[in-house]
Amino acid sequence: MLRINSAITIPLSEIECSAMRAQGAGGQNVNKVSSAIHLRFDIPNSSLSEFCKERLLALGDNRITNDGVLVIKAQRFRTQEQNREDALARLQEIILGAIKIEKARRATKPTYSSKQRRMDAKTQRGSIKSARQKVSYD
């Protein structure tokens, strides 16, 4: 079981991990060792609640296919086990980020004293600038 938080867990049978060869520099080791991990998580057919499924599918993330399958490629580390753990941690982050409900922002107005301070600062700045001008002796 992959524990997302205290209320949400995902059975590992719903997560498909396959090993593949990693890309990029690394010499012979990259060419002969399958260390990268492709993690596939089918969102619509998972055991997550409907709320979680809707929030995940509404993310608009380019890692989610049109069929609703979340694909994560992990190749940061040299070993398959570390990359598998990394992919599972990234899946956990994505799900936690999707279900987090942001607090609605309430618009506020600036206080009278903050407006006064702003206007005083502008007046003072203007007087400094006007003092830089050439003095005319007319």
Side-chain angles (χ1 to χ4, degrees):
M1 296 288 268
L2 175 65
R3 180 168 296 283
I4 305 301
N5 61 16
S6 59
I8 301 172
T9 55
I10 299 173
L12 291 177
S13 60
E14 293 181 1
I15 301 169
E16 179 187 329
C17 290
S18 57
M20 55 185 278
R21 292 208 172 115
Q23 294 176 324
Q28 275 183 312
N29 193 50
V30 170
N31 298 331
K32 66 183 182 179
V33 179
S34 298
S35 63
I37 294 291
H38 244 171
L39 183 141
R40 298 175 66 81
F41 179 63
D42 192 2
I43 298 168
N45 297 327
S46 67
S47 62
L48 292 173
S49 66
E50 289 301 316
F51 170 75
C52 292
K53 290 179 186 179
E54 288 173 14
R55 294 291 298 248
L56 275 170
L57 292 171
L59 277 179
D61 197 327
N62 60 353
R63 294 173 287 190
I64 300 175
T65 64
N66 293 335
D67 302 330
V69 178
L70 176 65
V71 179
I72 298 173
K73 184 177 181 183
Q75 59 179 11
R76 190 179 307 170
F77 301 102
R78 286 177 64 106
T79 63
Q80 223 176 80
E81 294 78 27
Q82 285 178 309
N83 283 328
R84 182 173 284 115
E85 292 299 318
D86 182 42
L88 291 172
R90 283 162 51 190
L91 173 65
Q92 185 178 14
E93 282 177 22
I94 291 169
I95 294 173
L96 281 173
I99 62 173
K100 184 178 179 184
I101 299 172
E102 293 291 327
K103 186 178 173 183
R105 182 188 176 280
R106 279 187 19 218
T108 58
K109 292 183 179 177
T111 62
Y112 176 77
S113 61
S114 68
K115 288 181 187 176
Q116 281 304 125
R117 281 193 304 270
R118 183 175 144 267
M119 295 311 291
D120 292 342
K122 285 170 75 73
T123 306
Q124 185 180 5
R125 188 75 185 149
S127 65
I128 290 171
K129 288 187 173 190
S130 65
R132 289 184 195 148
Q133 294 176 357
K134 285 185 179 178
V135 177
S136 67
Y137 298 106
D138 289 337

